[in-house]
Amino acid sequence: MSEKVLEVKNLKMYYHTSKGAVRAIDDISFSLFKGETLGVVGESGCGKTSMGTSLLRMPTVPGKFEGGEILIQGKSIIPMAERDVRKDIRWQTISMVFQGAMNCLTPVYTVGRQMYETLYEHKPMSKKEAQPIIEEYLGHVGLPPEVAKRYPHELSGGMKQRVVIATALFLKPSIVILDEPTTALDVVVQAQIINLLKRLKQEFGLSFIFITHDLALESEVSDRICVMYAGKIVELCENAQVFGPQGPAHPYTEKLLLATPRLHKKVESLAFIPGAPPDLVNPPQGCRFAPRCHKVFDRCLVEEPPLREIEPGHMAACWRCF
Amino acid sequence: MSTTTVQENDVILRVEGLKKHFVPHLSLVESLGKPKKIIKAVDGITFDIRRGEIFALIGESGSGKTTTGKLIMKLIDATDGRMVLDGEDVTTLDKPKLEEYRKKVQMIFQDPYASMNPRFKVRKVLEEPLSIHRIGTGYKDREPLIREALESVKLTPIEEFIERYPHMLSGGQRQRLATARTLILKPKLLVADEPVSMIDLSTRAEILAMMKDVQQSMGLTYLYITHDLSTARYFADRIAVMYLGRIVEIGPSDEVIDNPLHPYTKALIAAVPEPETGKVSVIKDLPIFGEIPSPANIPPGCRFHTRCPYAKDSCKEQVPELVDVGGGHLHACLRAHEI
């Protein structure tokens, strides 16, 4: 197997609220290999975005790391000084396209000016020096150089998303976290952006963490799929192990896949998962999915299943799978 | 069965040549020396919605699908064209008539978090339409209707929900409540504008199934507005595809998706991701160029020609009209027979 660019070991990140600690990331471990796309899927509130921001070592306030390790190219980043993270890690080694970032471009500056700001923060240089770099990266994402002189409101959603992607690639990171990069876009534009991301990955030799709630989209972009539920990883496996004929192992993944409407297959009824995800201040004892699971049995309610290998390259956290 | 042979009384709503043009408000300085730009959001659409069916209106943002929904709800007035509900011309209505109309045509909005008063308890949310339409006097009188509405959307046990505030409900429960709020007036036609796009995938199917149950048990008709072809196929009987204010294809759901005739529909279908393995290293072939033009600047001729891989010179001049190819399947493409 190729080299590990990122390794997460038993990571815990809790949000400390007045109601108690919300266990948004609760003991998760995985690795990201060079050149692969790891897809992270799950419902809202399962910890997908928290994981993204944690990997940049900037959990949203009031989030705090409660244990575990994040190793980026072998370096443990949690104990590092903030200055060093800024200098070497954030945006230089690992960057992120935030959810809805295209709507967070400031309306009062031109696109070029905003891109320059990012560049300047990390590598102080004059605007003149920056211009060819900005134009080069706009070219990489399929935009003409004039876009640098435009204001965000003059651009379409797809163009803004391209600008945000260019800005994430600027400092030549090796890992890019993409948090719902196409959710607000129309289906044609979504497909165009996905094609672009695939080309960029090849061209720059990137590794992606692709966060989305859309399993169908994951099937098209991700080499491996990581399914999260209530702050935990419940299944981690190859693309074909979820979307191939054999189908996923964990009942949660199974139901999510059945709930995904398919364009080319007419079905009488779609599956759904009754109930709602648990409160992460007081998660249920045993398996966190047990209250909503259709395959639940006694053991699930008392003992939490570990994430265990059930076949080569296929991990699942379910007593039914072992 | 083609649309032209449908019996008049099978049609609940007929829309003929409907247009909505917006004229932007410009200051004097802005308007000097510039030609007035008219935004043609909806630009001449004609369709029938049949009694008891689910009719889906599909399109990208900027296609005019939401404007069409608002026109049908009569939240805005049409610039041109005609609407006939149950044989009655409803294009312009005075206030008492409009109130009657709103009882028959109700809407479920996209955002279940923004469409409810946060200070109203569930029972107040459901009582409001009754008091607006002066149905019953006082809560005691209205309670049976409120309970019935909650029952029909399965927000049960009723006691548990009726005293809650919207923030105490999940997205799916709110959308059930929004549906109950429309059903309480016993409407004939429900306009649902992206009712599940903000709901988690795990519960989306549950809401659609509930809406379908209610539709069948109460004999309702839905206009389902969405950008999502996959749910439209699952949910709707017929689909109309909109592009830049015009309908480019219309037909039974299975026909439109399995046998699309318009190049725009083909492109939409090609772009939809399907949950299958083996596509990770494939760059998708998309038979469409660029992005949707602004409705303030609509291309001449066929408005899709700027993005169409099959466009010829004639497409730049001639405006294609909807052509019936049989089986109620219509398309507006000059070259559909060649491609």
Side-chain angles (χ1 to χ4, degrees), chain A residues 43-44 156 186 188 192 195 198 216 219-223 239-240 260 262-264 266 268 270-273, chain B residues 60-61 200-202 205-206 233-234 254 269 271 273-277 279-280 282-284 286 288 290-291:
Chain A
E43 288 171 85
S44 345
S156 70
D186 279 310
V188 172
Q192 289 165 342
N195 279 350
K198 286 181 181 175
S219 80
E220 297 203 341
V221 294
S222 300
D223 301 294
N239 180 305
T260 308
R262 305 180 71 132
L263 187 59
H264 294 294
K266 176 118 179 168
E268 271 318 302
L270 288 172
F272 57 85
I273 307 172
Chain B
E60 291 176 86
S61 19
D200 251 312
L201 185 72
S202 67
E206 192 182 3
R233 168 165 218 175
Y234 160 71
D254 292 350
I269 290 171
E274 281 274 282
E276 282 159 4
T277 190
K279 293 181 294 189
V280 175
V282 180
I283 300 276
K284 230 182 206 182
L286 291 171
I288 188 165
E291 292 181 30

Side-chain angles (χ1 to χ4, degrees), chain A residues 283-293 295-305 319:
Chain A
Q285 200 196 351
C287 172
R288 292 186 181 181
F289 184 59
R292 302 172 76 188
C293 185
K295 288 183 176 166
V296 64
F297 69 109
D298 318 341
R299 191 172 184 185
C300 309
L301 297 170
V302 284
E303 205 178 335
E304 189 170 326
W319 293 122

Side-chain angles (χ1 to χ4, degrees), chain B residues 37-90:
Chain B
K37 268 195 179 164
I38 296 173
I39 296 161
K40 298 178 174 172
V42 174
D43 202 21
I45 56 169
T46 300
F47 59 87
D48 288 338
I49 300 179
R50 297 174 197 156
R51 204 176 300 280
E53 78 170 344
I54 301 178
F55 185 81
L57 207 51
I58 286 198
E60 291 176 86
S61 19
S63 63
K65 57 188 195 301
T66 295
T67 307
T68 307
K70 286 184 182 168
L71 284 167
I72 289 172
M73 269 313 291
K74 300 201 71 65
L75 294 169
I76 48 175
D77 285 321
T79 311
D80 195 17
R82 221 161 76 91
M83 291 192 328
V84 181
L85 181 79
D86 263 339
E88 191 189 345
D89 193 314
V90 291

